[in-house]
Each structure stands twice: as C-alpha cells, then as structure tokens.
Amino acid sequence: MPYYIDELKPGMSARFEKTVSERDVELFGEVSGDMNPVHFDEDYARNTVFHGRIVHGVLCLSYISTVLGMELPGPGTIFMSATSRFRAPVRIGDTVVTTCTVREVVPEKRRVLVDCLCRVGDTAVVEGEALVMAPARPKA
C-alpha cells in the first residue's frame, strides 16, 4: 500500500535488503547489455583497481528504485531524477542494505526529495538523492 503525498513527512524512511548473487549479475548484464569483463571475468578483474570482480553499480541503484516504487512512497510513485555517488565496490555475495529517507515534501506539486544510501556492512557503497512524484490520495 502506498503512502500518499499527504501522509509523507521528513524523516520517514524505508529499506530493502538484498544479497547479490551470481545470477543477479548475469541477469543484470543480459538485461542492461553491460557485459563489461570487470563484472564477469575474474582474471581480467583481478588486474583492475578493484582486484577482482564487482557488481554493476547501477544494479545497486535499482535497489533505490525498489524502495521508492514498492515501499516509500510505494506503488504509483514516479521516479523523476536522481544523483548518485559510487563510494565502494560491491561484490557477489555481499548483502546490500538500501535505506531511503524523506528529506523534503512539496505537497502542492506532489514532489518528495529523498536521501538514499546503500551499505554493505558499515561501508557506504552508494549515496545520493532522488526526486519522486508521490501518489495522490484517490478522490472519493
């Protein structure tokens, strides 16, 4: 069930937790077309700055979309824009905990500014913000 624009307040938050599997990386590569060997070839990746394979950064961004579209505000939310900073790599088998926290609500435009953070343990791996349009309460 979504939160309607009139229910949202600064400080509200929701989270999503996902342990990234080999299959997740394979499927994301297929769907996105991003078959960069840093995600798929351990020998290649070992010789990069990451010293081994890493998960697509944009896969982690999709977890932000999951929180916004499924939890807060939830179904009916329209993702309008986002900024993000990739802080550390994610590896297969890592559990990514994504938290989105309402920073600002502009009810007359149904806009919500949300702070977004993806962590693996105590390490921030992605941080940023998103602007969404929250669903309006249906008219009776």
Side-chain angles (χ1 to χ4, degrees):
M1 178 165 174
Y3 287 91
Y4 298 113
I5 188 67
D6 61 311
E7 299 174 304
L8 294 167
K9 306 281 183 253
M12 293 175 75
S13 68
R15 61 182 261 167
F16 174 73
E17 187 171 313
K18 173 80 168 112
T19 300
V20 184
S21 70
E22 177 76 36
R23 180 157 166 73
D24 295 328
V25 172
E26 290 171 2
L27 289 172
F28 191 83
E30 288 177 28
V31 167
S32 68
D34 181 353
M35 302 301 288
N36 186 323
V38 76
H39 307 303
F40 296 97
D41 183 335
E42 184 62 39
D43 290 334
Y44 174 90
R46 197 175 305 115
N47 294 311
T48 69
V49 66
F50 302 111
H51 305 289
R53 289 176 61 201
I54 61 169
V55 172
H56 299 79
V58 180
L59 176 58
C60 294
L61 288 180
S62 74
Y63 302 151
I64 293 170
S65 181
T66 298
V67 174
L68 298 174
M70 299 306 296
E71 300 294 332
L72 182 72
T77 297
I78 298 170
F79 203 132
M80 299 179 68
S81 67
T83 61
S84 58
R85 290 168 299 288
F86 296 99
R87 311 293 283 185
V90 174
R91 307 211 184 257
I92 294 168
D94 284 350
T95 298
V96 179
V97 177
T98 302
T99 305
C100 296
T101 304
V102 174
R103 183 193 319 163
E104 182 180 345
V105 179
V106 182
E108 60 276 6
K109 292 187 175 185
R110 293 180 28 212
R111 304 294 196 266
V112 183
L113 186 61
V114 183
D115 292 315
C116 307
L117 178 64
C118 298
R119 292 185 161 284
V120 172
D122 292 332
T123 302
V125 294
V126 178
E127 55 187 25
E129 65 182 32
L131 179 65
V132 299
M133 181 185 292
R137 186 177 297 281
K139 298 191 190 233

